Amino acid sequence: MREVSLAISDVAQNSIDAGARHLRIAVEVDEERVSFEVSDDGQGMDKEVLTAALEDGRSFKGSTGIGLTLVRADAKQFEISSEKGIGTTVRASYLRKDGAQLGDIGATMLTLVGEGFDTVLELSIYGRTKRIDTGELKSSLSVAELQSRGVLRLARENINKFIRQNGGANL
């Protein structure tokens, strides 16, 4: 998965399947790497299920899934930690020289918020960071603003503006 936004979407789908309601996504871009971390409050996995997910490509539901396997295969660095009843954190890092790109992180955020998640995105590009918390965004706007502009649109506008202002044309 050369587009990090697709890898994040795949990891987030696992979070949805695990019953998570809150996601924290951190994305970092610098001259050499595109990295991400996704943490959720889903049901988590015990060591046996985590091992099966990584070795056999089985999901926590017992079905076959290749998402984590692909994320892991393409990543220069990959780490996953999970605790039953607490949640899961996935970290991956890709080399830009290998063609890794950020992708449409705004659309990824829109999809997650559309699924009903309260999502916090921390996007760091070349040392500049933008934090968007959809829960805070919802509570800071009037009902009229929410209805006219929509949280999803505002979040995506904020993300895309930040990316453009910080070298996004090359990502």
Side-chain angles (χ1 to χ4, degrees):
M1 290 188 192
R2 299 257 184 250
E3 278 195 26
V4 171
S5 62
L6 295 176
I8 291 170
S9 292
D10 192 75
V11 171
Q13 182 61 53
N14 291 337
S15 297
I16 292 167
D17 293 344
R21 297 307 323 143
H22 297 87
L23 290 176
R24 183 187 158 281
I25 301 169
V27 179
E28 187 171 337
V29 179
D30 62 29
E31 291 79 12
E32 295 178 14
R33 297 179 187 270
V34 180
S35 305
F36 74 85
E37 177 179 299
V38 176
S39 299
D40 70 44
D41 64 349
Q43 70 185 39
M45 296 177 274
D46 59 28
K47 287 184 181 190
E48 181 180 311
V49 173
L50 182 57
T51 299
L54 292 175
E55 290 180 3
D56 304 335
R58 282 186 281 143
S59 73
F60 85 97
K61 301 176 293 187
S63 62
T64 301
I66 59 169
L68 276 180
T69 305
L70 290 175
V71 171
R72 182 179 177 193
D74 286 343
K76 180 67 175 172
Q77 296 176 320
F78 178 86
E79 180 183 332
I80 184 169
S81 59
S82 190
E83 189 173 340
K84 188 82 171 153
I86 303 294
T88 301
T89 299
V90 175
R91 293 174 194 86
S93 183
Y94 302 83
L95 294 178
R96 293 192 56 201
K97 71 177 184 175
D98 292 339
Q101 299 176 352
L102 182 59
D104 193 347
I105 200 72
T108 298
M109 182 79 161
L110 259 143
T111 301
L112 297 174
V113 174
E115 292 282 340
F117 281 99
D118 283 333
T119 306
V120 175
L121 172 68
E122 295 172 6
L123 181 58
S124 179
I125 299 176
Y126 305 119
R128 294 178 202 98
T129 301
K130 175 81 171 174
R131 183 177 186 274
I132 297 174
D133 183 328
T134 59
E136 288 177 7
L137 190 58
K138 289 180 213 174
S139 66
S140 70
L141 299 173
S142 70
V143 173
E145 282 181 296
L146 285 173
Q147 289 175 340
S148 68
R149 297 186 70 198
V151 172
L152 300 179
R153 185 169 161 216
L154 285 171
R156 189 170 191 192
E157 286 172 7
N158 283 328
I159 292 166
N160 290 338
K161 180 179 177 184
F162 178 76
I163 291 170
R164 280 191 312 276
Q165 290 173 337
N166 292 288
N170 300 321
L171 302 176

